[in-house]
Amino acid sequence: MKKLSKLLGVSILSFGCLLSAIPAQAQETELPSTINWAIPFGVGGGTDVWARFVAPHLTKNLPGNPTVVIKNQPGGGSITGTNLFFQRAKSNGEDILGTSASTLYPFMLGDKRVRYNFDKWIPLMASPTGGVVYVQPNLGVTSADDITKLDGVTLPFGSQSPTGLELPVFLAFEMLELDIKPVFGMKSRGAGRLAFERGEAKIDFQTSSAYLSSVVDLVDNQKAVPLFSLGILNNQGKIVRDPAFADLPTFEEVYVKKFGKEPSGMEYTAYKKFLAAGFAFQKVIFIPADTPNDIINAYQSAVRTMLKDPTFIKDSEVQVGPYENIVGIDAAQYLSEAIAVSPELYAWISSWLKSKFDYTL
Amino acid sequence: MIEFLSALDQILSITHLTYLIAGVLVGLVVGIIPGLGGIAGMSLLLPFLYGMEPSVGLGMLMGLVAVIPTGDTFTSVLMGIPGSSSSQATVMDGFPLAKKGQAARALSAAFLSSMIGGVVGAVVLSVFILVARPVVLAFSSAELFMLTLLGLSVVAALSGGNVYKGLAACGFGLLVGAIGGAPATGEFRFTLDIDYLYDGIPLVVVGLGIFALPEIISLLVKNSAIASSPNKLGHGLKQGFKDVFQNLPLVGKSSIFGSLIGAIPGLGGSVVDWMTYSFAINSSKDSSQFGKGDIRGVIAPESANNACASGSMIPTILFGVPGSGAAAVFLGGMLLLGIQPGVSMISTHLDLTYTIIWSLALANILGAIFCICFTRPISLLTYIKFSILTPIILTLILFAAYQATRSLGDFILLGVVATLGIMMKGANWPRPAFLIGFVLSSGAENYFFQSIQFYGYDWFLRPGVITIAALIIVGFVLPPILKRRKQKMKPEQLAQDKEQNSMTKTVSWTDWGIIAVMGGSATYALINIWDASTLTKAFPIIAITIVLFSIVMIVSKYIREKHTKVSSDLAMNLVYIVGFFFIAYGYYLFGFISTTFVFSLLFLRFLAKASYVKSTTIAIGLVIFLVTMGRVMNVDFPEGLFDPYLLSAIKTVI
C-alpha cells in the first residue's frame, strides 16, 4: 500500500511537471500581490537566511513583482511548520514553502509527528550543498592518503542528533571503519565546530558555506586538516568531486584507496539515499500541486530567469556555494526518487540506528 | 586604534545615525511589548538588510539588539509581566516598587543602570575582543557545566529562608525543563504523545505563567490600582538616579559579570539577571527588603542584562556561534549583509567590529534617554483602577504567550503554569527557584553528558572547573558568615530574624496541594522514564530525586515541628484561573482580535463599571494595536471563526 501510494505520488509529480512544461500562452499571468513564503524554521537560521536572500530575486523575476513575505514557523525541527503548510496552504499561488534536509529526513524515517507528504507539492527549485569532513592536525594525518593512521584512534564528534543532517556522515564514518564517539546535544553544527576548535572533538563536519566561512581559516592556520568532501550528484546521479573543493577527494575515492574496492551493500545504499535527500535537496521551494497551471508556469519561468541572472549567480556563490540549482521536471523526478525509502532499507536503517546509537525510530 | 576612531567618525555620520535610531526605536517597541524580543525585531529589519551598506546595516541591527533589555523593563515594573526573558528578575522588586507607588523611581533607576551596563559592556567588548578567542575557547563543556551549577546555586539565596521549598521548586523546574528531546540520545521524554511537548516547554510561557498571571489575578481579586499608596514627592525620577549613584559598585560588578557571562556561549541571557540578583542579595548588609521592593533588586539585573547583550556579541562575531536568541538572529543578519563571522572580524574587518561596538554604546545611551523621557507619563498607569487595565494586560499576556509556538497549546500551558504560580505565590514557595531550574535544565544536562563523553571522569580536575567550584562554595559559605557578623553588631536585627523565622513556620492546604502536584508529577515521571535508555533517563531521575527528597524533608519538618495552620484564601484566584481558561479558549475559537474587542468591551462595561465611551475606546484601541502588529510585524494570531470577516471588513475601511 505504501509503495503504491509512493508510486502514485511520483506519477502525479511527474505528470504535474509535464503539464507545467507545456509552454504557456504569451499572456501575463495574474499573481497575488503578496506571496507568503512559509519557512518552518526560526529567524536567522540557515534556511531563513537562504530564503531571505532568494526572496528579493523572486520578487524581481515574477510577473507583477509581488512582495514576498517570509513567514517563520519554527518547531519540531521544521515538522510543525511543514504540517501547518500541508493543512492550510492556499492553492492560488499565494503560498509557497521552503524546506531543508531536516524536513525530508523525518518523512523518510517515518517520524510519527509528520503529517505531510510530498505528493501534494511540486518542487520549483532545489539548492544543493556539499560538505567537508576534517580532523585535528595533531593526529598525524596530513590528507586522506594517510587515513589509516586513524585506525584504532577514538574520535569524539560533536553532533546534533543521530537522525539529523549528520546521518549520512555517520554512515560514511562507519564504512571507513573509523572509531567515532558521537557526543550528542550540540545545538547546531556551529556548536560542534566550537567543540572541535576547543580540541574536545577530534573530527568534525560542516556544510559548504559554513566550511568556507569558518573552517578554511583554521586549515590555513594549521588548526584543521580536511579529509574528504561528500561530493555532489551530477546529472546522471553519480557522485563526483565537489566544485567548491575540487582538490579534496570524495568519500568514495577515499574508500577505494583504503579498501581497494568500491563501497557497496545496504550501508552504501542508505548513505547515497540520505546524501541525495539531505544535500542535493538541501533547500527546496515547494508550491501546492493543485495551484493553477499558468501560475506554476509563471513561477517556473521566474526561477529559470532568476538562475540565469548574473547578480544572483554572483551573490549565491557567497551565500550557498558554487552549485547549480535543480529546477523543473528534473527536480521533481530526482526528489521523488531521493525520498523514496524501500521497506528493506527502512528496516535496515532502523536496526542500524538502534544498534549504533540505541535510538528507536 | 586608528580603526577604533575612524569607526566612531563613521557612525556619527547622518546616514548611520538615522539607521541606528531606527534600529533603536524598533528595539524599544519590541522590548516594551511582552513576548516580542530580539527575534521579532530582527524579522522586521531583515528585509531591509539585503543590499545595504554593511556598516550601516550592522549599526541598525546593533541599535535593535542593544536596547531590547532597556525597553523590556517597562512592563516588568509596571505590570509584573517580564517584557522579555532577560528582565524576569527585574519583576521581583520592580513590581513591588510600583505597588508602593514608586514606579517612576524603579524605572529611572533601571534605565540609568541599563545605560551604564550597556556602555560598560561595550567597553569590555572593545578591550576583550582582541584577546577573546583563547578565553572563549578555554570554556569547554566541563566549565560550562560548572557555570550552570553556579547558576543553580543562586537558588539558595532566592529561597527566602526555606531551603527545602527552594530545592523542591528548583528540582521541579529541572524536571519540567527535561520535557522534550533528550540531548544525549535524541529520544523524547514525557511527551504524553502530545505534539506540543516534543519541542519542550517554551520559556516565555513559563515566565508569564509563573510571574505575570498570578500577579494579575491577585490584583484583580483585590481590585485596587497597582500602586496602593500614593506617590510621595522625591520618589520619582531623581530618586532613581540617586539610587544608581549610591550603588555604583553594584552596577559596575553586575555589568562586568553580565558581559563576561554573555561572552561565553551556552549560558544565555535568561540566567544572568537571576545570578546578579542573588549576588545583590548576598552582598547587601540588609537583605530583608528584597522581593518587597528593594531598588537594588532592580539595579543589579538591569545593569547585567544590557551588558550581557553586548557580551553575547563576542562569540557571535568571533565564532559564528550565537550566545543568545537575539544574537542568533544578528548572525543571520550578518550573513545577509555578506559578512562572515570569524577570525577575519578582528583582522581584515576590524573596522566593522568597532562599528558594532560604537553602535552598541551609542544605542544604549539613546535607548535609555528615550525611555527616561517616557517614564513619568507611562508610570501614571499604575494609578489607574486595575480592573480597567485588566483586559489590556490580559490581551498582552495572551499575545505574548501565543508568540511562543503559535498554537492553542501555548494558552493551555499558560493556564497550567499559572495555576502552579498562584499556588506557589499563595504559600510562599520561591517561584524564581522553579524558573531557574527550568532555564538551566537543558544546559546542565547537555554539558554534563558532553563533558563526561569528551573527558571521561577526570574532567573535574580541570583548573577552570575547580575555580568555579570554589566560587560556588564561597557563595554558600560567605553569606551566613556575613550575616552572623552583622547580627553581632545589631542585636535588634536578631530579633527581627527570629520573627521572620516564626513567620515561615506556617502550613496551609495550598502547601499540601503543591506537595501533591510536585510529588505526583515526579512519581509519574519516574514510572514513565524507567524503561528508557540510561543516557535518556539519568538526568530526569536526578531531578526527580531532588524533588522527592525535598518533599520528604518538608513533610517530616511539618510533622516534627509545630507549624501554625494558616488558611490560604485562594478559592477566588482559582475561580479566575478557570475563567482564564475559558477566555483563552474563546480567544482561540472565535478569533483573537474579535474576542479581544468583545471581551474588553463587556469586561470594562459590566465588571469594571466603566462608561460606554471609555469601554469602547479601549476596546477599539486594542483592536487597532493588534491589527497594526499583524500588519507591520507580520505577527500571527489565532484566526478562529470571526477574525477573517473582521479583518476583511477593516481592510475595506482602510
Side-chain angles (χ1 to χ4, degrees), chain A residues 274-296:
Chain A
F274 283 95
L275 184 69
F279 290 82
F281 294 94
Q282 162 74 217
K283 308 274 185 245
V284 185
I285 308 177
F286 283 108
I287 190 162
D290 51 353
T291 307
N293 269 328
D294 54 335
I295 291 182
I296 295 187

Side-chain angles (χ1 to χ4, degrees), chain A residues 76 181 193 197 200 315, chain B residues 50 133 141 195 199 319 453:
Chain A
K181 181 179 181 184
R193 194 195 70 239
E197 288 192 50
E200 293 180 313
D315 286 351
Chain B
Y50 183 72
R133 240 188 120 72
S141 45
D195 277 9
D199 272 344
F319 295 96
Q453 285 173 302

Side-chain angles (χ1 to χ4, degrees), chain A residues 56 152 176 302:
Chain A
L176 289 171

Side-chain angles (χ1 to χ4, degrees), chain B residues 397-429:
Chain B
I397 290 183
L398 284 172
F399 170 90
Y402 191 72
Q403 299 316 310
T405 72
R406 297 184 189 163
S407 64
L408 178 62
D410 294 325
F411 291 166
I412 298 171
L413 181 72
L414 179 62
V416 172
V417 177
T419 312
L420 179 71
I422 286 173
M423 289 162 77
M424 286 174 85
K425 182 177 188 287
N428 265 328
W429 286 56

Side-chain angles (χ1 to χ4, degrees), chain A residues 136-157:
Chain A
Q136 295 281 7
N138 58 11
L139 298 169
V141 179
T142 51
S143 76
D145 294 344
D146 29 9
I147 193 165
T148 44
K149 284 190 183 166
L150 295 176
D151 287 354
V153 182
T154 304
L155 302 167
F157 170 56

